Amino acid sequence: MAPFNFTHSDASTFILMGIPGLEAAHIWISIPFFTFYIISLLGNVTLLSVVGKEQTLQKPMYLLLCMLALTDIATPTFVVPKALGIFWFNLKGITVAGCLTQMFFLHTISVMHSSTLVTMAFDRYVAICNPLRYATILSNAQIAKLGLAGLIRAVLFILPLPLLLSQQTFCANRIIPHTQCEYIAMVRMVCGDIRVSRIYGFVLMFVINGFDLTFIALSYGLIIRAILRISSHKAHQKALNTCTAHICVMLTYYTPTFFSILTHHFGQGIAPYVHIILADLYLLIPPMLNPIIYGVKMKELRDKVVKYTCRSSADTKFTQSSADTRDDISSGLQCPSGNCQIVREYVNQH
């Protein structure tokens, strides 16, 4: 496919290069991008649909899974369509306002995702360490309030980043060697004093990740201690399975984050396209894996997904069978001359 070159460069436009050094492979790279994105959408939309339809799943733990699913849908949606536009049609141009907007939403969703993981750790701590008070401490209303608080925290912490950058003057070379408007890449293009932006960015990273990871580690430390004290093997196994799913999801989120940060600061000898691919996979892999992990580890959720999947398949077959039966009856009717059409319409309606 010959790429369409619709890019242009002016004072209000940045150029996203995609993955420099691998331009010849852009079409091939787009295949896993598109595949991961579609799998992520299907998995997370399925989770939201099942929890929305099944009354027995509408409780705090599964509402938190829905919050996580929403962030997992939003994260790649802000990146993949633009990346595919670059890979398929060479649509590399993006306005300064569009770039700052993409950066804001990506970081806001990331902080919201982290807040949800913290709330999930707290949920498991209360459920295992203080089960008698679980219903009073964490109701559906409380989960909604915690979700809103997490969203407000994310917006308040991230909003200064695009506001600070919007006040800066960008240099003539407005090329971003990436598939997305990454904060570090945008800061490097600023011609003026960037000390405030850099300091705020570093403080923000350490405050959010430091607080969230400390709280999660403390919660799971107490959870593990409580699990080890459970005498019942069945209860011990159930608590361990639930925690294993949460821990796997947290590892898929935080491990690529820190690996990407380390390669940015200490991997000067690593090819630039490796940094870019790692950053993109960090936004694609966790949203795809999360619904799979929970579907495998949480029997109640898995059973409901199978139930609705089988019901949908059965309904489709039944509808087709009913239609075929009506056609057979209609075609085989023996009716008085002149009345066949009336009888067929009656059968089709019933």
Side-chain angles (χ1 to χ4, degrees), residues 82-133:
K82 180 60 182 176
L84 293 178
I86 296 170
F87 295 153
W88 291 345
F89 307 112
N90 205 33
L91 296 172
K92 298 180 179 181
I94 185 171
T95 63
V96 174
C99 212
L100 291 173
T101 301
Q102 185 192 51
M103 184 195 71
F104 167 74
F105 279 111
L106 277 177
H107 287 291
T108 299
I109 295 298
S110 178
V111 176
M112 181 63 191
H113 191 111
S114 186
S115 298
T116 304
L117 293 179
V118 171
T119 309
M120 292 171 77
F122 180 64
D123 170 80
R124 290 301 86 200
Y125 164 75
V126 176
I128 294 171
C129 299
N130 203 349
L132 297 179
R133 298 186 58 199

Side-chain angles (χ1 to χ4, degrees), residues 134-153:
Y134 180 82
T136 56
I137 296 175
L138 283 175
S139 61
N140 289 352
Q142 287 296 106
I143 292 297
K145 291 177 183 177
L146 289 172
L148 180 60
L151 179 61
I152 292 172
R153 182 187 83 142

Side-chain angles (χ1 to χ4, degrees), residues 32-42 73 76-77 80-81 284:
F33 266 63
F34 182 73
T35 304
F36 292 165
Y37 181 51
I38 294 300
I39 294 173
S40 172
L41 286 181
L42 289 175
I73 290 172
T77 299
V80 173
L284 288 169

Side-chain angles (χ1 to χ4, degrees), residues 270-325:
I270 300 175
Y273 62 80
V274 175
H275 296 283
I276 298 168
I277 291 173
L278 284 175
D280 287 331
L281 290 179
Y282 155 68
L283 297 175
L284 288 169
I285 298 297
M288 180 184 68
L289 291 181
N290 288 347
I292 297 174
I293 292 171
Y294 282 113
V296 170
K297 285 292 183 182
M298 301 178 73
K299 185 178 183 301
E300 187 179 11
L301 178 61
R302 184 173 67 250
D303 291 344
K304 299 302 181 184
V305 171
V306 171
K307 168 188 168 184
Y308 280 102
T309 303
C310 293
R311 178 185 294 177
S312 177
S313 176
D315 288 345
T316 302
K317 290 180 179 179
F318 178 76
T319 302
Q320 182 61 44
S321 176
S322 299
D324 293 342
T325 302

Side-chain angles (χ1 to χ4, degrees), residues 117-118 120-121 216 220 245-255:
L117 293 179
V118 171
M120 292 171 77
I216 289 171
Y220 276 96
H246 289 296
I247 291 171
C248 288
V249 166
M250 290 173 190
L251 287 176
T252 61
Y253 177 75
Y254 286 112
T255 303

